[in-house]
Amino acid sequence: MIELKRIDQEQDLKAAYSIREKVFVIEQQVPADAEYDQYEGTARHYLATYDGVPCGAARWRVTDKGIKLERFAVLQEYRNKNVGAKVLEAVLQDVQEEHADKQIYLHAQLPAVKFYKRHGFETEGDMFSECDIQHYKMIYRG
């Protein structure tokens, strides 16, 4: 069973950071100083569990362009088990309840573009590189 919670305890934040470390820093070779930034303290963080095991993480934050969804990560052994979809649905619901008037966007890694399109996002602009990974900006259209 997949459960998702908005993080409000230090141990859950540590679990989310551990997931991000495994997915981004180890698996994708993103430099640790690029993965953890000045927004950690102000972003809203989430943790997903699968049968009680921490396996997914995400965050969102307010920017001058709207609400940016970021750091969506699912451990490799839990991919294709609907964890990412549950995380995205819960994050979108929270954001829409709190910021219904703001644009929602994200920077999707190229392999994830189809996933986000299935959930109401559209690409905007040209492909670009962040940390040597190809991305598209995507806007939520609902």
Side-chain angles (χ1 to χ4, degrees):
M1 175 203 281
I2 300 166
E3 292 184 6
L4 186 86
K5 62 174 142 180
R6 192 181 318 181
I7 294 175
D8 59 5
Q9 295 181 11
E10 187 67 25
Q11 77 247 22
D12 291 335
L13 189 58
K14 286 180 181 177
Y17 285 165
S18 175
I19 291 163
R20 288 171 45 190
E21 177 89 11
K22 288 173 186 168
V23 171
F24 296 122
V25 178
I26 296 169
E27 183 182 328
Q28 296 183 353
Q29 304 292 303
V30 171
D33 62 343
E35 172 55 25
Y36 303 103
D37 60 23
Q38 70 269 30
Y39 305 113
E40 299 299 345
T42 56
R44 181 80 44 85
H45 296 266
Y46 295 80
L47 178 67
T49 58
Y50 191 97
D51 290 338
V53 178
C55 64
R59 77 176 196 191
W60 64 265
R61 63 186 174 92
V62 178
T63 74
D64 59 353
K65 297 175 187 148
I67 305 299
K68 186 175 184 196
L69 310 186
E70 301 176 306
R71 308 306 200 264
F72 279 74
V74 175
L75 295 177
Q76 196 165 30
E77 57 269 31
Y78 292 93
R79 292 180 195 152
N80 298 313
K81 294 180 185 273
N82 212 28
V83 174
K86 292 290 186 191
V87 172
L88 182 57
E89 289 164 11
V91 169
L92 283 171
Q93 182 177 338
D94 275 3
V95 168
Q96 289 171 317
E97 286 174 8
E98 292 185 38
H99 300 283
D101 59 329
K102 294 196 168 140
Q103 180 179 43
I104 300 169
Y105 70 102
L106 52 79
H107 292 170
Q109 292 183 6
L110 196 54
V113 167
K114 286 182 183 175
F115 167 79
Y116 289 113
K117 282 185 175 181
R118 286 194 308 268
H119 292 278
F121 286 83
E122 294 177 0
T123 57
E124 178 179 279
D126 296 327
M127 188 168 47
F128 61 94
S129 181
E130 280 183 354
C131 297
D132 293 326
I133 299 170
Q134 298 302 310
H135 288 75
Y136 275 101
K137 179 178 181 181
M138 298 189 80
I139 307 293
Y140 184 64
R141 303 290 186 208

